[in-house]
Amino acid sequence: MRKYISYISLLLVFCFSCSKVPLTGRKQLNLIPSSQVNSLANQQYSEVLKENKLSTNQQQTQLINKVGKRLSTAIETYMKQNGMEDEIKGFKWEFNLIQDDNTVNAWCMPGGKVAFYTGIMPICQDENGVAVVMSHEIAHAIAEHGNERMSQQLALQLGGTGLSIALQQKPQLTQQLAMAAFGLGTQVGILLPYSRSHESEADEIGIYIMAMAGYDPHAAIPFWQRMDKQGGAKPPEFLSTHPDPANRIKNIEKAIPKAMKMAKKQA
Ligand SMILES: [Zn+2]
């Protein structure tokens, strides 16, 4: 009997916390207030910037900023025009290039805090390549994949009754549990690899954002081919959970016609 009550309360919490991912419409479960996730991410971001050296390459740094501003403005405009401005209310975009030639990586923390590492720049090759990576990373944040991943872990840890009580009466406890569950005190915690389905969704949304911003989404195909050829150790965001390269390109090709329509609408 207790088990059933747990299930029922878990279901109730699920219903109240369901939201829809922008642009794909997939239903997701986000249990933690975005404001909490964003402020955790902000703290992490300042730590990362403190611990790492920023690139002194003016040209590349400017490129990262230019592409980041163009893509974030495009998705913000889209969200506002489609009544979703509340979902990005707490976003404070920031784009930085970290000096580290051995790290082939980039990420966007919840709330719009982006970092590129200089090691990924040769694979990007040019502005279009930067836009492929940047739009993919921004998509993870827009789709709130971080919150969703944390929520799944939180639900697993607490179970039904514990979870509903924690959420209703002890928001502080919820936050502590979330932090403990994910090791949010460490850089690794917030940058754990996304699931394969999150990766595919970020690919799809990324293509749409590129098109909205006036970039050619076809650029994603040669970029992922170059990334695939890049051997050796890959960083978390580009690790094993990434979709099989052939599948990934098929999915991207499938999303391109819709992206091209969005490009026209926005123009
Ligand atoms: Zn990703």
Side-chain angles (χ1 to χ4, degrees):
M1 188 61 196
R2 236 192 112 211
K3 205 172 168 192
Y4 287 113
I5 294 172
S6 291
Y7 275 130
I8 289 164
S9 51
L10 193 62
L11 279 172
L12 277 174
V13 172
F14 274 29
C15 293
F16 285 123
S17 319
C18 262
S19 52
K20 264 191 192 171
V21 176
L23 290 153
T24 65
R26 181 177 63 84
K27 282 204 179 109
Q28 67 179 172
L29 172 72
N30 287 337
L31 298 171
I32 306 151
S34 305
S35 55
Q36 262 180 41
V37 179
N38 292 351
S39 83
L40 288 169
N42 287 351
Q43 288 163 26
Q44 286 303 306
Y45 193 68
S46 341
E47 288 291 314
V48 173
L49 295 186
K50 244 186 267 160
E51 285 163 14
N52 291 277
K53 216 177 122 242
L54 293 184
S55 168
T56 51
N57 184 323
Q58 288 295 318
Q59 202 194 343
Q60 285 189 344
T61 303
Q62 277 166 12
L63 184 62
I64 295 297
N65 266 287
K66 179 187 167 192
V67 176
K69 277 184 190 131
R70 193 163 148 187
L71 290 166
S72 58
T73 305
I75 186 64
E76 279 196 347
T77 306
Y78 175 89
M79 302 281 279
K80 277 177 198 151
Q81 283 171 352
N82 290 276
M84 292 185 276
E85 61 262 58
D86 278 359
E87 293 178 40
I88 46 163
K89 212 171 44 193
F91 273 59
K92 287 200 177 71
W93 298 100
E94 217 177 310
F95 312 96
N96 279 292
L97 178 62
I98 291 169
Q99 179 59 49
D100 183 349
D101 290 339
N102 295 318
T103 302
V104 184
N105 203 12
W107 39 259
C108 178
M109 282 183 183
K113 303 295 191 193
V114 176
F116 270 59
Y117 293 80
T118 49
I120 203 169
M121 296 308 278
I123 303 177
C124 291
Q125 281 184 355
D126 54 19
E127 183 170 350
N128 282 326
V130 171
V132 174
V133 176
M134 182 80 76
S135 63
H136 172 97
E137 300 310 334
I138 285 179
H140 277 307
I142 291 291
E144 291 198 73
H145 287 162
N147 194 340
E148 189 176 12
R149 194 179 41 189
M150 285 168 65
S151 301
Q152 286 161 352
Q153 289 299 316
L154 197 59
L156 278 178
Q157 290 245 332
L158 287 171
T161 312
L163 180 60
S164 55
I165 290 172
L167 285 170
Q168 283 160 19
Q169 297 167 6
K170 295 175 181 166
Q172 206 92 47
L173 173 72
T174 319
Q175 187 180 0
Q176 281 164 11
L177 283 165
M179 288 179 77
F182 296 96
L184 278 181
T186 68
Q187 186 189 347
V188 174
I190 212 156
L191 299 173
L192 276 174
Y194 293 107
S195 69
R196 192 164 290 193
S197 59
H198 279 172
E199 287 306 329
S200 298
E201 192 169 66
D203 279 347
E204 184 187 341
I205 296 173
I207 296 294
Y208 300 149
I209 301 175
M210 273 185 88
M212 286 171 199
Y215 287 109
D216 183 1
H218 290 94
I221 295 167
F223 170 81
W224 289 114
Q225 284 165 343
R226 290 197 297 274
M227 180 57 92
D228 186 39
K229 269 196 213 127
Q230 149 90 16
K234 287 178 185 165
E237 166 59 345
F238 294 98
L239 210 64
S240 54
T241 54
H242 267 195
D244 166 66
N247 270 337
R248 162 167 245 160
I249 285 171
K250 247 189 242 162
N251 285 334
I252 289 173
E253 279 171 343
K254 243 197 316 197
I256 285 181
K258 187 174 162 188
M260 298 313 277
K261 275 186 208 154
M262 288 177 158
K264 275 192 195 141
K265 246 190 188 171
Q266 200 88 346

